[in-house]
Amino acid sequence: MVKRKMKNILLYADKNITEAVNKNISNDYNVICANRLQDSDIHSDTHFIIADVDTPDLNAGMLINKYKKFKTKFWAYTKITSRENILKLYEMGFDNVVPYPTDINNLLSNIINPDNTDINIKDAITYKNLKKILLVVDDKINAELIVNALSDSNFLFTIRTNAKDANVEIQKDQYNLVIIDCKTPTDDLFNISRTIAESKLNKNTPYILISASKKIKNHLKGYEYGAYSYIKKPYNIDVLKAMIKNILEIKALQDNLATENKILDCLITNTINQSIITDSNFVVLAGGNQYIPFNKNEYFFNYFDSCNIIIPVEKIRAFSINTEKSIKFNFTNENKIFETTITKVYDEHNILERYVIILSDITQKLMIEDQKETFIATLTHDLKSPIRAEETVLKMLLEEKFGSLNKEQKEILSEILNSRAYTKRMVDNLLTRYKATSDKIEIMPEQTSYKKIIFDAVKEIEPLIIEKQQKIKVEYKADTDNFEFAPTEIKRVLVNLLSNASEYTPKHGEIFLKVLEINKKIITSLTDTGYGIEEKDLCHIFDRNVTLAKKYRKVGTGLGLYISKTLINAHGGDITVQSKIGKGTTFTFKLPKNQNQHLTTAKQ
């Protein structure tokens, strides 16, 4: 039946297969069909033999022995695809096992054309949207089986039949997956993994190793060389599909994560402030090096210890176990001051996952602030003398030390004097604020009559009360009058609170000042019938420069309550506020009866 002197393929199969081949076979190559082995069929130029090993009268062992000397390739065609049967056929000497049913013509087409041409090539638009898979096979028929089995998937396959060509392809093009299918893994095939790892285009490309080898050392070697999976033949094609799908999905997630990490690294390394991300144990996961060099996987605090930089370690430890979301502190390094913010990051189960730490160089900012504060302090200090001089002269004029005055003249002078008193309070507050921000407030406690200080404070704001036709009621129910406090500073607190109460209480309103004594503390509460404060503003009411003046079209610096809190805290006391819109506001502060006899410095 030989038609021409060409590559010969010997086909041992049943009648149905033989008829299908004879009907569709091309005239470009020779196929010898037989249903039993005869010596006349043996030809030294037979390149391939495909044998239906399920044929009862086929002696496969004798067939292989007859052709072994000609280096003929043997393929077994079988319906029995159990692992035991396939391994048995490999052990007999078959080069490959083809499960039934398989398109014989596809097999023949690949056998006579076992080159390295690409298959499944599509148009350019489709090409760039496909998942690209490189198949490295020791026989192209294996590749065709995989391609046919995965034909319903959105894959673009490139086939290479030897390690050398595969290595060239890996350096030339980028792939989503590499599949190596071989009867027995060789060093050349294992070394493909090294090419993948070292290539620019595919260093992160996963690969699967498929083999008929049952040697455990080959399995272990496959994983050692970085295979995502080592699949033993025979395999279930549905399992292979699922595995490829999962690997490609994992690879896509890894690629997305890598992209996001690049963006994060770009943000971290190119922002003005230095950002560091640590795990829940303060081990550095990522971070820039704008100011301080932190190494990945290093304990965050190692640098501070090695450079003897002082940071509030105890404060940070307490923060790590309490419910605070973030803390701030400053530290100095190489004549620079850094503001540090540590923020907790929780996972979806509200479990602490990591910390985000931001370092900001605030040296220049503090220098500017210091210059500004110094300017304000100098200016207000210089203003105090002329204001006091004017106040003294105005009082002398009102007392008619320089001659008698009519009623209108006295009213005008009283208005001017009230205005000077308000200006004096503002100047005093500005000076006190400067001292507070520079840690220079000095509290000088002395035995003083608290009733007298309250009387003096009420007298000082009396012109405001009279002007708005308000009433002020004082109830002193404490047993103690004389106790230790700084009279000038506590009077300033009372004046600030009373003037605020008058300012934000309408005409004919009332102000109540009540003093109690509980547990060796003098408790003063000051209640007005004014506008009240919105709940959202209460938590910020004592902050520096926070004022409600603009809301109510008043004039104010927002320093009065900040100064009052600073002075009360400096005495070892505390101050709170309660308010309801339309119902008025109550400020309450507590002072200990006994103060230390030495200087107490108020800290911010």
Side-chain angles (χ1 to χ4, degrees), residues 99-114:
Y100 178 90
T102 296
D103 189 339
I104 288 293
N105 289 310
N106 276 336
L107 292 179
L108 297 175
S109 175
N110 286 294
I111 286 173
I112 66 158
N113 187 29

Side-chain angles (χ1 to χ4, degrees), residues 349-598:
H349 305 295
N350 204 32
I351 296 173
L352 180 62
E353 192 172 32
R354 56 179 59 92
Y355 295 97
V356 175
I357 304 169
I358 307 294
L359 303 182
S360 306
D361 183 355
I362 59 172
T363 310
Q364 190 69 23
K365 176 184 175 182
L366 290 179
M367 287 177 62
I368 295 172
E369 286 291 327
D370 186 58
Q371 290 172 358
K372 185 168 66 175
E373 294 290 346
T374 302
F375 171 76
I376 292 172
T378 304
L379 178 63
T380 52
H381 185 272
D382 290 345
L383 284 172
K384 285 185 71 173
S385 295
I387 288 173
R388 285 174 179 168
E390 288 179 10
E391 188 178 33
T392 301
V393 171
L394 288 169
K395 286 180 179 179
M396 291 174 68
L397 286 171
L398 275 172
E399 293 170 0
E400 297 184 329
K401 295 286 182 68
F402 305 108
S404 60
L405 301 172
N406 60 37
K407 183 180 178 180
E408 288 80 7
Q409 289 172 328
K410 286 184 177 181
E411 287 178 355
I412 292 172
L413 286 174
S414 293
E415 288 290 331
I416 296 172
L417 187 61
N418 289 340
S419 177
R420 283 294 172 269
Y422 178 75
T423 304
K424 180 176 176 292
R425 285 198 300 274
M426 289 184 65
V427 169
D428 287 341
N429 281 340
L430 284 169
L431 274 174
T432 306
R433 185 230 179 180
Y434 168 72
K435 291 176 181 178
T437 54
S438 58
D439 293 346
K440 293 179 180 178
I441 288 183
E442 295 179 347
I443 302 302
M444 303 289 290
E446 58 183 80
Q447 285 285 338
T448 308
S449 169
Y450 193 38
K451 290 180 182 178
K452 181 180 183 303
I453 295 300
I454 291 174
F455 174 78
D456 290 344
V458 171
K459 187 172 179 62
E460 186 166 323
I461 63 107
E462 193 172 32
L464 297 176
I465 301 296
I466 294 172
E467 180 186 355
K468 299 185 73 173
Q469 301 175 35
Q470 297 167 338
K471 292 181 180 180
I472 183 166
K473 296 180 180 180
V474 178
E475 284 187 67
Y476 199 97
K477 293 187 175 183
D479 295 332
T480 303
D481 178 20
N482 289 291
F483 66 97
E484 291 182 347
F485 62 92
T488 303
E489 310 305 343
I490 294 303
K491 179 185 174 184
R492 181 172 298 151
V493 172
L494 288 166
V495 169
N496 280 336
L497 295 178
L498 287 166
S499 60
N500 260 11
S502 176
E503 188 72 24
Y504 292 102
T505 298
K507 277 189 175 183
H508 310 294
E510 292 182 308
I511 299 169
F512 303 92
L513 195 157
K514 188 174 183 179
V515 181
L516 300 173
E517 182 177 344
I518 301 175
N519 296 330
K520 297 182 180 181
K521 289 188 177 181
I522 305 300
I523 301 172
T524 305
S525 61
L526 197 147
T527 303
D528 63 52
T529 56
Y531 308 115
I533 303 169
E534 291 184 18
E535 187 175 352
K536 66 182 180 66
D537 295 324
L538 287 175
C539 58
H540 303 291
I541 200 69
F542 294 109
D543 291 353
R544 188 187 308 173
N545 294 335
V546 170
T547 176
L548 302 179
K550 185 176 180 181
K551 181 180 292 188
Y552 298 109
R553 298 185 180 181
K554 306 288 184 181
V555 177
T557 61
L559 289 173
L561 294 178
Y562 168 74
I563 295 302
S564 297
K565 180 178 174 61
T566 301
L567 294 174
I568 294 296
N569 290 346
H571 280 77
D574 61 83
I575 183 170
T576 58
V577 59
Q578 291 179 313
S579 186
K580 192 171 182 180
I581 293 297
K583 300 293 184 179
T585 301
T586 297
F587 286 93
T588 303
F589 63 88
K590 301 176 184 179
L591 294 172
K593 287 202 303 183
N594 300 314
Q595 291 282 326
N596 294 327
Q597 295 301 318
H598 56 77

